[in-house]
Amino acid sequence: MQQITIRRPDDWHLHLRDGAMLQGVLPETTRHFARAIIMPNLVPPVVTGADAAAYRDRILAAIPDGADFTPLMTLYLTEDTDPDDLAAAHASGLVTAVKLYPAGATTNSASGVRDFDKVRPVLERMAEIGCPLCVHGEVTDPDIDIFDREAVFIDRVLDPVRRATPGLRVVMEHITTRDGADYVASNDTDLGATITVQHLVLDRNDMLVGGMRPHYYCLPILKRREHRDALLKAATSGDPRYFLGTDSAPHPTHAKESECCSAGCFTAPNALSILADTFEKAGALDKLEGFTSLHGPAFYGLPVNEDTITLTRGAPVTWPARIETGDGPVTVFDPGFPVHWSVT
Ligand code: DOR
Ligand code: ZN
């Protein structure tokens, strides 16, 4: 039997939703993770400090008894975001980061940014006060093929925005391509990236060959194998600019198994088991703790967690096929191969 003990992980990109769904999915995160960056793409989105305070209270109220969990709140950047409101929410510790969704890029992103010039004053203020920008890095131009949207975003939007806003700290959320990994590697420490579990273990063939698998559909969409390989190399490299953001994104099973499938994989319950398995196969178990527990706090300027979790290698782990929530069942991500590591 093999065991490793690592500092308790954090999830640097998480969707918790609200109401009955929040109540149902939150325990799956608090079981393993100490903190998480909470995505603001509710309907309506979390756009002001007051919205973030109210949402944080609802999350805190839903934490299971005995669990120790800190939600790190984000604001949803719109063309009307008030720099003073954001600065006050950041200074008070209420808001950790701001999320940029290009309008129309993904689930509930209609209020996102269309004209990047309109958010320039907010971005400049963020650079001044040291508030990081979390970016959904895909263009929404209908002429750009969905598989190219990340690479084109880097050239057309991200690089120009970063050049125009020196000192702005940026997290490229859920990178899915070699282009994303390379862009991070070729820049300074003001740029980091989160990587999801599904993008480390799957490629687009897994989603599309032999039938379409809706529970593998997420955005940015899974790419070719060579991109998955580049992400795995980045995640297991020990480079502190790459860290875990599961992007665990629950949708009721009926919304996934539907004519127009919602985007998102629900990985909160088994993310760490799958990661341990993946890092082991890559011969990089010694790099797991950095990716899950050290690099994220370093980027965000936060202390690492003091407590630990232990992962044990044994017989293949089982987990429920779905969890029940007041909004209906949510199917748990199944990587499609046996996973031998459990969190004990
Ligand atoms: O797959 C995704 N699901 N990607 C996103 O960017 C949003 C998320 C969601 O909110 O469901
Ligand atoms: Zn997300």
Side-chain angles (χ1 to χ4, degrees), residues 49-105:
D51 294 341
Y55 186 30
R56 183 173 66 174
D57 286 347
R58 297 197 295 278
I59 296 170
L60 293 175
I63 295 175
D65 287 345
D68 183 9
F69 178 73
T70 306
L72 303 172
M73 307 309 291
T74 60
L75 291 190
Y76 185 121
L77 182 64
T78 74
E79 293 175 5
D80 299 319
T81 297
D82 173 3
D84 291 336
D85 178 61
L86 156 63
H90 183 256
S92 72
L94 169 66
V95 157
T96 301
V98 170
K99 176 71 189 240
L100 164 67
Y101 287 104

Side-chain angles (χ1 to χ4, degrees), residues 210-280:
M212 275 175 48
R213 290 176 181 75
H215 297 290
Y216 289 172
Y217 174 66
C218 65
L219 289 172
I221 199 159
L222 295 167
K223 306 294 193 301
R224 286 178 179 277
R225 172 68 65 88
E226 70 199 56
H227 293 295
R228 192 198 90 177
D229 291 345
L231 298 175
L232 188 58
K233 199 166 156 215
T236 57
S237 66
D239 185 324
R241 290 171 295 185
Y242 306 101
F243 40 94
L244 173 63
T246 66
D247 197 14
S248 181
H251 292 275
T253 297
H254 68 79
K256 295 289 295 173
E257 297 174 4
S258 92
E259 196 177 357
C260 184
C261 162
S262 301
C265 301
F266 181 56
T267 53
N270 51 13
L272 294 173
S273 293
I274 299 169
L275 280 176
D277 189 272
T278 305
F279 276 60
E280 180 193 27

Side-chain angles (χ1 to χ4, degrees), residues 120 123-130 159-170 188 190:
R120 187 159 305 283
L123 299 181
E124 279 164 9
R125 188 68 168 277
M126 289 169 61
E128 226 175 273
I129 63 178
D159 199 54
V161 164
R162 292 189 62 245
R163 283 177 198 280
T165 326
L168 181 66
R169 314 208 68 224
V170 174
D188 54 29
D190 280 344

